[in-house]
Amino acid sequence: MGIKRLTRQRRAVLEVVQHAKGYHPDAAWVYGEVRKAVPNISLGTVYRTLEALTEDGYLMPLSRPGEAIRYDANLDGHLHLTCRKCGEFFDIVAPLPDLLSGVRAKYPEFELEGVQVEYQGVCQKCKNVDG
Amino acid sequence: MGIKRLTRQRRAVLEVVQHAKGYHPDAAWVYGEVRKAVPNISLGTVYRTLEALTEDGYLMPLSRPGEAIRYDANLDGHLHLTCRKCGEFFDIVAPLPDLLSGVRAKYPEFELEGVQVEYQGVCQKCKNVDG
DNA sequence: GTGGTTGCAAAGGCTTTGCAGGCAC
DNA sequence: GTGCCTGCAAAGCCTTTGCAACCAC
């Protein structure tokens, strides 16, 4: 249902998440950080705020099987590289051709809104650890 | 650690998942189906088998924030449409341009293996339900 | 003042795990 | 026979939710 009132807690969560650009934090990490500014904030409030911010379009959730939901506060249309070994998400910038119009023409009954492109592989750090 | 022995349970799970092409089932659904053939199979075994099949490359996990992991047994390189409202995954076939070489050249330190393209929007059924 | 928001704690859902017995090879 | 695999049940996450008090507007 989005955010209707800007409380101290929400201001703090927003600030933490926006300063974490490139880190893609999950709820637990945000909770830990926000507690430095608002020591008695509850984990439930963090979850509720992250959900509300997502609904309002400030955040995009990233999910990997079996892992906690991470949030991306950088909605400038960048892409992600994800490491198959450590699960980390890396932001990248790359030009994309028009992927939408072909599919839109072929599947007109589906109301196409966007497309997510996610690159997968092994990051430098994990590559160096084991072959 | 993959599959080393082909037991009755694993044969049954494999059969169920492969016959579910296009449905993208989760562990609970597979459990329900497999029980028709092997009534006393346990949910734990289903989870372990799905994990092993994934490791061996027979399945690809699909995840959406806050939902159970679904599995795709169709690894022919098709794409997915996902409905923002009901969460369903639909298989689509569409030509894709070369998305890899540009990124590979720009981020050589990352061992790029593949790219996932996921289309998002609202499916026909959900579109008809509410504007 | 009103009703959205919070903290707390309990509950919920999905998934993993320890263990003793069983079975594929 | 060996050791991988199974069923069972408990435990482990992550996340959601009910409720009374609180506070932004």
Side-chain angles (χ1 to χ4, degrees):
Chain A
M1 64 187 245
I3 286 191
K4 303 247 173 77
R5 292 179 189 174
L6 200 50
T7 62
R8 196 158 63 94
Q9 291 87 338
R10 292 183 165 182
R11 227 188 305 267
V13 169
L14 232 175
E15 174 145 339
V16 163
V17 177
Q18 286 183 337
H19 278 74
K21 279 192 180 183
Y23 177 66
H24 312 104
D26 60 13
W29 185 89
V30 172
Y31 177 59
E33 288 299 304
V34 172
R35 264 172 114 63
K36 295 176 184 170
V38 186
N40 69 330
I41 194 175
S42 73
L43 187 54
T45 293
V46 171
Y47 273 101
R48 280 184 286 228
T49 303
L50 291 173
E51 186 191 349
L53 289 171
T54 299
E55 268 183 53
D56 286 353
Y58 292 109
L59 300 177
M60 187 174 75
L62 305 174
S63 66
R64 280 173 61 86
E67 291 192 9
I69 301 171
R70 287 152 164 266
Y71 292 88
D72 191 346
N74 193 357
L75 301 181
D76 62 4
H78 64 282
L79 306 174
H80 289 130
L81 276 173
T82 77
C83 175
R84 164 168 65 76
K85 298 200 172 172
C86 67
E88 204 53 63
F89 289 90
F90 302 91
D91 293 337
I92 64 173
V93 177
L96 272 187
D98 172 26
L99 298 171
L100 286 177
S101 53
V103 171
R104 183 169 282 136
K106 198 165 179 184
Y107 299 90
E109 71 282 7
F110 192 94
E111 192 173 304
L112 195 53
E113 295 175 341
V115 59
Q116 270 296 112
V117 176
E118 190 186 286
Y119 289 88
Q120 294 146 344
V122 182
C123 73
Q124 189 166 27
K125 194 161 41 169
C126 290
K127 199 169 50 178
N128 290 337
V129 168
D130 46 31
Chain B
M1 63 186 248
I3 286 191
K4 303 246 173 79
R5 290 178 190 174
L6 200 50
T7 61
R8 198 158 63 94
Q9 291 87 339
R10 292 185 163 182
R11 228 189 304 268
V13 169
L14 231 176
E15 174 144 339
V16 163
V17 177
Q18 286 182 339
H19 279 74
K21 278 191 180 184
Y23 176 66
H24 312 104
D26 59 15
W29 185 88
V30 172
Y31 177 61
E33 287 301 303
V34 172
R35 265 172 114 63
K36 295 175 184 170
V38 186
N40 69 331
I41 193 175
S42 73
L43 186 54
T45 293
V46 171
Y47 272 101
R48 280 183 285 227
T49 303
L50 291 173
E51 185 191 350
L53 289 172
T54 299
E55 266 183 54
D56 286 352
Y58 293 109
L59 300 177
M60 187 175 74
L62 305 174
S63 66
R64 279 172 61 87
E67 290 192 9
I69 300 170
R70 287 152 163 267
Y71 292 88
D72 190 346
N74 193 356
L75 301 181
D76 62 4
H78 64 282
L79 307 175
H80 289 131
L81 276 173
T82 77
C83 175
R84 165 167 63 78
K85 298 200 172 172
C86 67
E88 204 54 63
F89 289 89
F90 302 91
D91 292 338
I92 64 173
V93 177
L96 271 187
D98 172 25
L99 297 172
L100 286 177
S101 53
V103 171
R104 183 168 282 138
K106 197 165 178 183
Y107 299 90
E109 72 282 6
F110 192 93
E111 193 172 304
L112 196 51
E113 294 175 341
V115 58
Q116 271 296 110
V117 177
E118 190 186 287
Y119 289 87
Q120 294 145 343
V122 181
C123 73
Q124 188 165 29
K125 195 162 40 168
C126 291
K127 199 168 50 177
N128 291 337
V129 169
D130 45 31

